[in-house]
Amino acid sequence: EDQVTQSPEALRLQEGESSSLNCSYTVSGLRGLFWYRQDPGKGPEFLFTLYSAGEEKEKERLKATLTKKESFLHITAPKPEDSATYLCAVQADSNYQLIWGAGTKLIIKP
Amino acid sequence: KAGVTQTPRYLIKTRGQQVTLSCSPISGHRSVSWYQQTPGQGLQFLFEYFSETQRNKGNFPGRFSGRQFSNSRSEMNVSTLELGDSALYLCASSYGQLYNEQFFGPGTRLTVL
């Protein structure tokens, strides 16, 4: 069964304290892996798409990486405005349907 | 460029009633997907429409249905509401068929009493 697991469920960091969020997945064949950010009361906002193992993408303080079994979202020197829930989703070769993880709630304290 | 809009933003219904939610995608986007989001289950895929045709469907009962119009606007209907249907219903649009980045609306918060 296709599955996506995100860890940790919640992460509290001090401003400037770098860390990583994990997204592990089990699919028969990966078509794409997506990272989104969701602020309270809003819909998710697209961040990155990764297609193959070894691929990396960066945007400001965020960097996403992909292996054959998992993806990491690295946050470097985070600021309070980076506080949000980060969602990971995968799309399998066999199905266009996105399978979503439960998310990691990130809190950055000033 | 206007984003994805959803109406209404908030809705309160009682068990047994039915509800219709509306979604207007970004201009030029032909794919519209619907999701249910709850604290316990996270984001769950309901269905996707592309050029007025339902292309994919999630594991939800037949009480959940949808349609897409020729202008790509979409509606979602839930009949015979149950308490467990209380959730945030999100609509997302994309240019292609679910392999491009999706742009989400703010959602409709449905409360079933």
Side-chain angles (χ1 to χ4, degrees):
Chain A
E1 181 186 351
D2 297 337
Q3 196 168 355
V4 177
T5 304
Q6 290 188 248
S7 62
E9 287 186 16
L11 182 62
R12 295 175 183 269
L13 300 171
Q14 288 295 133
E15 183 174 1
E17 181 184 0
S18 302
S19 188
S20 297
L21 313 183
N22 178 267
C23 171
S24 63
Y25 61 91
T26 306
V27 292
S28 52
L30 181 69
R31 186 180 181 92
L33 185 142
F34 305 81
W35 281 100
Y36 284 80
R37 164 196 172 126
Q38 186 174 23
D39 293 299
K42 295 186 177 182
E45 176 189 346
F46 172 80
L47 293 173
F48 303 109
T49 307
L50 301 167
Y51 293 105
S52 57
E55 190 175 359
E56 299 182 352
K57 288 197 177 171
E58 287 188 69
K59 180 181 180 180
E60 297 180 357
R61 295 176 292 282
L62 300 176
K63 179 180 177 180
T65 61
L66 180 65
T67 71
K68 289 187 177 179
K69 292 184 179 181
E70 58 191 350
S71 175
F72 291 94
L73 185 64
H74 307 279
I75 301 176
T76 302
K79 298 181 178 181
E81 54 261 42
D82 294 322
S83 297
T85 295
Y86 290 84
L87 297 166
C88 167
V90 300
Q91 186 177 30
D93 269 340
S94 57
N95 191 339
Y96 283 124
Q97 178 178 328
L98 288 178
I99 303 161
W100 293 81
T104 293
K105 185 174 183 178
L106 177 66
I107 299 170
I108 308 298
K109 299 179 182 178
Chain B
K1 197 173 186 181
V4 178
T5 58
Q6 292 188 245
T7 56
R9 291 292 313 278
Y10 302 92
L11 208 48
I12 299 175
K13 292 284 187 179
T14 57
R15 281 182 298 174
Q17 288 187 309
Q18 76 165 21
V19 65
T20 298
L21 312 181
S22 181
C23 170
S24 292
I26 291 172
S27 178
H29 284 192
R30 297 165 64 189
S31 173
V32 173
S33 299
W34 287 90
Y35 294 90
Q36 181 193 69
Q37 187 174 36
T38 59
Q41 298 294 322
L43 262 171
Q44 291 189 289
F45 173 75
L46 280 156
F47 28 66
E48 184 231 354
Y49 287 87
F50 184 81
S51 294
E52 301 181 66
T53 301
Q54 187 182 90
R55 291 299 186 97
N56 290 282
K57 191 177 190 307
N59 296 323
F60 278 82
R63 300 185 296 108
F64 292 83
S65 63
R67 60 178 175 169
Q68 187 180 33
F69 302 96
S70 58
N71 62 358
S72 293
R73 190 178 69 85
S74 178
E75 287 183 347
M76 187 192 107
N77 184 274
V78 188
S79 62
T80 320
L81 284 166
E82 300 178 359
L83 295 178
D85 296 333
S86 294
L88 180 66
Y89 289 89
L90 291 160
C91 164
S93 77
S94 64
Y95 180 77
Q97 188 188 344
L98 259 191
Y99 54 87
N100 291 327
E101 59 192 67
Q102 292 188 314
F103 295 85
F104 283 81
T108 294
R109 173 73 62 185
L110 173 65
T111 302
V112 182
L113 303 176

